[in-house]
Amino acid sequence: MRIFNLILVLIVSGAFISSKPYFKDEPNSLEIERINFRIDEMKSMLNSNSKYNSKIAFFVDMRIPSGKNRFFVYDLQNNKIIDQGLVAHGCGSETGIKGDLKFSNVPNSNCTSLGRYAIGSNYNGIFGKAYRLSGLDETNSNAFKRAIVLHHYSAVPYEEQDHYISRSHGCPMVNEQFFKRIEKIIDASKSNILLDIYY
């Protein structure tokens, strides 16, 4: 009977753990502090501008290594991360110092640009389906001109890695499986979803 109870406790505990959608690895306090700050900023912006989706937003923490999940799908109503995945940064953002990135809004820089983006219409490009991004800040105002889009690419792994992953030409580039999940969210939304890339 004791063994049965122990097994039951372990099963129930496991169910509770798996039902909490958060960081796959335990986040450090700085990661939590950064995303909480960006969430507050996003909610404040959405409160003053109702044309964007106020239920779901995407966040990318560029301080997290590219081999770790750093693209977060956030439920703004229930205040929780509901999905996460790997995302590449621009090859021009590399500084030669491990873990240290630079950012630029300049055309042909191949850099990631920080700031908030409105996810726009989709089209079929060289990587298949992709979403146009409109930069909403001075730091990413050239996104449309630079053809910075949200797309998938086969070289981006699905599982977290201990090493850095492939890089893009400045686009937030994700794994195809993860793309299929966020694609459903984007396509089902009646208003533009916001993407916030921060460092």
Side-chain angles (χ1 to χ4, degrees):
M1 191 66 176
R2 284 181 182 176
I3 293 172
F4 174 77
N5 287 340
L6 178 61
I7 291 169
L8 187 61
V9 166
L10 289 172
I11 290 169
V12 171
S13 299
F16 278 118
I17 291 166
S18 63
S19 67
K20 184 184 178 189
Y22 210 80
F23 294 83
K24 284 185 181 174
D25 290 332
E26 192 61 32
N28 65 48
S29 59
L30 288 175
E31 288 169 7
I32 294 171
E33 188 179 327
R34 280 197 304 275
I35 195 168
N36 283 341
F37 177 77
R38 302 305 296 194
I39 289 163
D40 289 343
E41 292 276 302
M42 181 72 77
K43 286 182 177 180
S44 177
M45 178 187 173
L46 291 170
N47 285 337
S48 62
N49 194 332
S50 59
K51 74 176 184 177
Y52 300 114
N53 188 315
S54 61
K55 297 178 181 178
I56 296 285
F58 299 160
F59 295 89
V60 174
D61 185 345
M62 282 290 165
R63 283 204 186 270
I64 297 174
S66 66
K68 302 299 178 184
N69 290 328
R70 58 180 181 174
F71 187 123
F72 304 105
V73 179
Y74 196 85
D75 181 336
L76 294 165
Q77 291 188 315
N78 296 301
N79 292 311
K80 63 181 181 180
I81 292 169
I82 56 174
D83 204 354
Q84 57 191 304
L86 301 179
V87 58
H89 57 254
C91 58
S93 286
E94 293 290 334
T95 62
I97 301 169
K98 190 175 180 181
D100 192 19
L101 298 177
K102 63 181 180 180
F103 305 94
S104 176
N105 192 29
V106 175
N108 302 315
S109 65
N110 290 332
C111 286
T112 293
S113 294
L114 301 179
R116 288 168 291 199
Y117 299 81
I119 301 174
S121 60
N122 68 74
Y123 69 99
N124 278 312
I126 58 171
F127 299 107
K129 189 173 182 178
Y131 293 92
R132 293 180 175 89
L133 298 176
S134 297
L136 304 178
D137 297 315
E138 285 184 22
T139 52
N140 63 3
S141 58
N142 288 326
F144 195 79
K145 188 192 297 185
R146 295 178 61 206
I148 300 300
V149 299
L150 173 61
H151 68 89
H152 62 82
Y153 184 53
S154 58
V156 178
Y158 181 67
E159 297 291 342
E160 291 187 308
Q161 313 285 313
D162 288 327
H163 50 81
Y164 290 92
I165 64 169
S166 60
R167 294 160 300 182
S168 70
H169 287 164
C171 297
M173 185 172 76
V174 299
N175 173 271
E176 188 172 3
Q177 281 180 264
F178 182 56
F179 184 86
K180 284 179 180 176
R181 297 202 301 268
I182 58 177
E183 170 189 27
K184 288 178 184 176
I185 296 169
I186 298 167
D187 290 349
S189 180
K190 294 177 181 176
S191 51
N192 294 90
I193 292 174
L194 296 182
L195 163 67
D196 186 11
I197 300 178
Y198 59 96
Y199 187 64

